[in-house]
Amino acid sequence: MDIYFDSEFDAIRTAKGHVQCLISLGMVAAENGELLDSFYSLIRPRHFRRLSWMVKKMTGLSEEAIRQAPSFAEVMNDAEAFIQRHLKQDGKLYSFGPDDRRTIAKHSEYEQRDHSLLFEQAIDLQRHLSSRILWQNQVISPTLSLEDLKNVYGIVGAVEHNAWSDAVDLMRIHEASRHQEYSRECAQVIYERKQARILAGRQRSYENMIRVLHKRYDGYDDTQKQLLFYPDVIVKLSELAEREDALRIQFYPNECLINDLSLNYDQIRAFMKWNMHAEPNVLLTFHYAHECIEVQISLNYRNAIVLADIWNLIP
């Protein structure tokens, strides 16, 4: 007989900040996909005052119900008895993700209760189940949500964010993964949704970076200085060359290497110009031996700091 468990938790304010504490725990004992027994209880953490608005919205739990619930120690005693009663020698204890085990351990520490190792033996099914869901021969995500896994296995009903029903869902998903193929169509939908989110996140990050760069460096716009190869400037140029493959110049204390040509710094005239337009960049120009190399460097958080350091080192 196997046991599946889930919990809901919330942050409790303490003198040192916040600690995550359980507010409910649900477990089901099952064999060959048949639910044989179950356990569910709300939990009243020590010094509980109120639920955060997000947890209240997701779980539908009320503060009054939590205040009237048994203590963490009482619930854990009953939960451990349930596990010991049903977990046979060849049975396993399953959870979904690492948060439940971690929160039980932290809550035990907060309540100054001996932490039972029973929950530490739980197998995390989130990564195991997620690793089997592929699109174009690649794992879609190492940590698919319970809702995504229900969808790919055709298990009807929304995820309720209730510790007991989530434990039941986990049991049903695990059983389905043992006996049926997942839906390739649903896997594709999940993959495309996640890719869209990734692209949207990258776009937001890029737009935010551009705003920050304009705020910091618009004062340099359309200005140019001659690069003077002071020792501190050479150090910064060398640092820049390590980060920017497009620079294609190696800087040493007494000379630099351009296109396999070794040159003393007094053989080079170099200029630096800022262009803070739609896509901020810095133009570096190197004149040597009747040759000229122009390198345009698109600004980002890291190279902008180095370039500004170089700029500020030059009179």
Side-chain angles (χ1 to χ4, degrees), residues 163-259:
W164 180 82
S165 65
D166 287 356
V168 173
D169 281 342
L170 181 59
M171 181 269 292
R172 295 167 68 195
I173 293 166
H174 193 206
E175 191 65 19
S177 73
R178 289 167 164 166
H179 302 292
Q180 70 183 65
E181 289 292 321
Y182 62 86
S183 166
R184 299 298 193 273
E185 292 78 9
C186 285
Q188 181 180 0
V189 169
I190 293 168
Y191 170 81
E192 291 174 350
R193 187 190 72 228
K194 288 186 175 294
Q195 289 301 305
R197 287 180 179 174
I198 290 170
L199 291 175
R202 288 175 180 170
Q203 183 63 26
R204 286 193 300 271
S205 296
Y206 173 76
E207 291 171 355
N208 183 65
M209 180 187 73
I210 295 299
R211 284 194 295 271
V212 171
L213 291 174
H214 277 296
K215 183 177 180 180
R216 292 179 181 174
Y217 305 112
D218 267 358
Y220 299 166
D221 186 34
D222 203 29
T223 54
Q224 178 174 287
K225 284 184 180 181
Q226 182 175 352
L227 272 176
L228 301 176
F229 295 103
Y230 299 139
D232 289 347
V233 172
I234 294 170
V235 169
K236 288 295 180 180
L237 285 169
S238 179
E239 183 180 340
L240 181 67
E242 291 177 0
R243 300 181 180 187
E244 295 293 330
D245 293 336
L247 196 51
R248 303 190 311 277
I249 302 175
Q250 294 175 274
F251 296 91
Y252 302 102
N254 299 312
E255 62 181 9
C256 68
L257 193 64
I258 303 178
N259 290 337

Side-chain angles (χ1 to χ4, degrees), residues 271-286:
F271 299 88
M272 180 178 186
K273 183 177 181 180
W274 291 75
N275 302 298
M276 298 301 298
H277 303 300
E279 296 188 3
N281 65 83
V282 165
L283 181 66
L284 298 176
T285 308
F286 298 88

Side-chain angles (χ1 to χ4, degrees), residues 27-29 35-40 82 86 164:
M27 296 187 289
V28 296
L35 197 157
L36 301 177
D37 198 1
S38 63
F39 173 92
Y40 177 76
F82 180 90
H86 292 296
W164 180 82

Side-chain angles (χ1 to χ4, degrees), residues 36-54:
L36 301 177
D37 198 1
S38 63
F39 173 92
Y40 177 76
S41 179
L42 298 180
I43 299 170
R44 185 188 73 254
R46 186 163 60 102
H47 300 147
F48 172 79
R49 291 182 178 84
R50 62 181 63 87
L51 294 170
S52 63
W53 71 270
M54 180 60 75

Side-chain angles (χ1 to χ4, degrees), residues 129-145:
L129 294 169
S130 298
S131 68
R132 304 179 63 176
I133 310 303
L134 310 178
W135 178 250
Q136 297 178 339
N137 296 320
Q138 290 187 336
V139 174
I140 295 175
S141 168
T143 53
L144 288 173
S145 68

Side-chain angles (χ1 to χ4, degrees), residues 97-146:
D99 290 341
D100 297 289
R101 289 180 319 216
R102 186 185 300 130
T103 305
I104 289 171
K106 286 293 184 182
H107 197 160
S108 295
E109 181 181 344
Y110 171 66
E111 299 271 1
Q112 299 179 343
R113 178 187 184 275
D114 289 340
H115 174 49
S116 171
L117 297 180
L118 282 174
F119 287 97
E120 293 301 314
Q121 65 183 303
I123 298 169
D124 178 4
L125 278 180
Q126 185 180 32
R127 288 189 173 275
H128 169 72
L129 294 169
S130 298
S131 68
R132 304 179 63 176
I133 310 303
L134 310 178
W135 178 250
Q136 297 178 339
N137 296 320
Q138 290 187 336
V139 174
I140 295 175
S141 168
T143 53
L144 288 173
S145 68
L146 205 64

